[in-house]
Amino acid sequence: MSAWTQNVAEPWADAMSYALAHRYGRWALGWRWALGEGDFDGGPVGSWCCPSHSVTTTEETLDRVVAALLEWRGWLESLAGWFAVHPLEADALDDRRVLWERTARCLILHVADRTGCDSGWYGHCRQVLTWFLDSRGVAPGTARELVDRAIGGRFESWVAPDTAVVDGVAERLALSLRPADLADRPAAPPPDHLECWLAVRATVPWHTCPDGSSGGPAGPPRDGAVEDVRAFDAAIDPARARGLLAALGLVRADAARGAALDVDLLRGWQRHVLGALRPPPFRTLPAFAKQGRERYGIAPDTRDRLDACLAESAGPLLPLPARAARAHLDVCFFHPFDDGNARAAFLALVFVLAREGVALRETGLLRRIALSADSPEDALTLARLISHCL
């Protein structure tokens, strides 16, 4: 496919947006919200610009779409994390206003940094502040009104706001707080999708998954995991690819020596994934994913429960692809680390296969599909996809 003209490329990009939203949900529509004067003005996505510049060859264009979608999703998940650690609740109204002002200032600076204050960056800033208030129970219409009134034209295109402007907007937003604004906040806590997964995990008919072999497992002529990292992750960030390749090497070595899959083993791999000096700790706070739609709780025994689940990956009673898929999903939904959990889950999958002398011929959609914690069908789909890729 040669470079497309604008009148062909733009409808194609619109059709891609429709397909992504239909498959993953409305959150996916933000993949084209590019930095500066891209498709949608002043956004946080750097992997995509606009049809006239980003639609070229088939391979290059699809790589850009994937990178942009992952970049947008990562940004949304990071926002959900920030929302979780910036409360508005306090007994006294003045204390609430202090919290609100501090949070507004922090979020404004996050958005300014992410967008580079390019073009109409303040549109996304307005949206993020509104999302935050909405997440804390402020009615959507009220949230938009409060944010619009606080910003009031004080932000400018292509101009980073100085400290006085940021402080002024944050203060105005805080002073607009009324006790009634938080009256709609839901009393019930959000569902714990880790518990949802554990309930689903026990009901999935794992034994129905094909074993992916013909006359016994055999190693493929190529390493699909390594090839995918070199093609996919290296396009996102060469340092990310180097870290993941180092982790894959350690995964294979641990599998060859017959190591048991547990949290400590994951932590050793994750140090390379994150480029850290030491293995990262197990998380201590609730975790969020999928634009905040899934929340994974935390309890004193969460780590022990994950170790128990991972130990089941060595049991011979289920087909190998089913055990690999279950271990992958265990890591996804226990979400043990503050960052890089999708990569940790993939490494767990590769390890379960490698421990029995099997590798992926290709990765296909294994690292590209979104899987829900409360869906037995998604779990079986992953297991069958693994079987196909062996």
Side-chain angles (χ1 to χ4, degrees), residues 43-224:
V45 176
S47 301
W48 181 270
C49 174
C50 55
S52 59
H53 291 95
S54 299
V55 177
T56 53
T57 66
T58 301
E59 183 176 354
E60 288 177 346
T61 303
L62 293 179
D63 284 347
R64 291 189 183 109
V65 171
V66 171
L69 183 64
L70 291 174
E71 189 179 352
W72 172 246
R73 174 175 168 173
W75 171 240
L76 293 178
E77 291 183 358
S78 68
L79 286 176
W82 286 325
F83 290 178
V85 299
H86 286 294
L88 291 183
E89 295 78 5
D91 293 334
L93 180 60
D94 286 345
D95 291 339
R96 288 188 190 181
R97 284 174 171 158
V98 170
L99 290 173
W100 200 332
E101 181 176 347
R102 182 189 308 161
T103 298
R105 183 184 300 109
C106 179
L107 291 175
I108 292 168
L109 293 176
H110 277 313
V111 175
D113 179 67
R114 178 65 182 229
T115 61
C117 298
D118 285 351
S119 195
W121 68 276
Y122 46 81
H124 188 44
C125 185
R126 179 185 294 110
Q127 184 181 48
V128 168
L129 291 172
T130 302
W131 280 345
F132 178 74
L133 300 187
D134 180 53
S135 75
R136 285 296 180 267
V138 180
T142 301
R144 286 191 294 271
E145 179 184 347
L146 294 176
V147 171
D148 286 344
R149 189 186 308 149
I151 294 177
R154 289 170 176 79
F155 295 147
E156 300 179 50
S157 299
W158 302 105
V159 176
D162 58 32
T163 301
V165 171
V166 173
D167 289 347
V169 171
E171 183 181 18
R172 286 174 64 89
L173 191 56
L175 291 175
S176 67
L177 173 63
R178 299 166 298 172
D181 290 332
L182 297 177
D184 311 355
R185 186 167 59 250
D192 185 343
H193 287 87
L194 171 54
E195 296 300 329
C196 293
W197 160 243
L198 291 173
V200 165
R201 186 181 189 274
T203 65
V204 174
W206 299 106
H207 62 279
T208 64
C209 175
D211 65 10
S213 66
S214 177
R222 59 186 182 135
D223 190 331

Side-chain angles (χ1 to χ4, degrees), residues 248-318:
L248 276 169
L250 192 56
V251 164
R252 298 272 161 64
D254 288 335
R257 66 181 178 84
L261 182 58
D262 59 16
V263 171
D264 283 335
L265 205 63
L266 293 176
R267 293 179 64 228
W269 305 337
Q270 201 69 356
R271 179 175 73 84
H272 296 281
V273 169
L274 301 178
L277 295 176
R278 56 183 61 87
F282 198 91
R283 66 179 172 92
T284 57
L285 296 171
F288 297 84
K290 301 180 178 68
Q291 199 179 353
R293 293 196 306 274
E294 287 192 354
R295 171 186 174 273
Y296 315 117
I298 188 71
D301 65 344
T302 300
R303 173 173 174 159
D304 291 340
R305 294 171 80 187
L306 176 55
D307 273 337
C309 288
L310 294 176
E312 295 176 3
S313 67
L317 298 180
L318 294 178

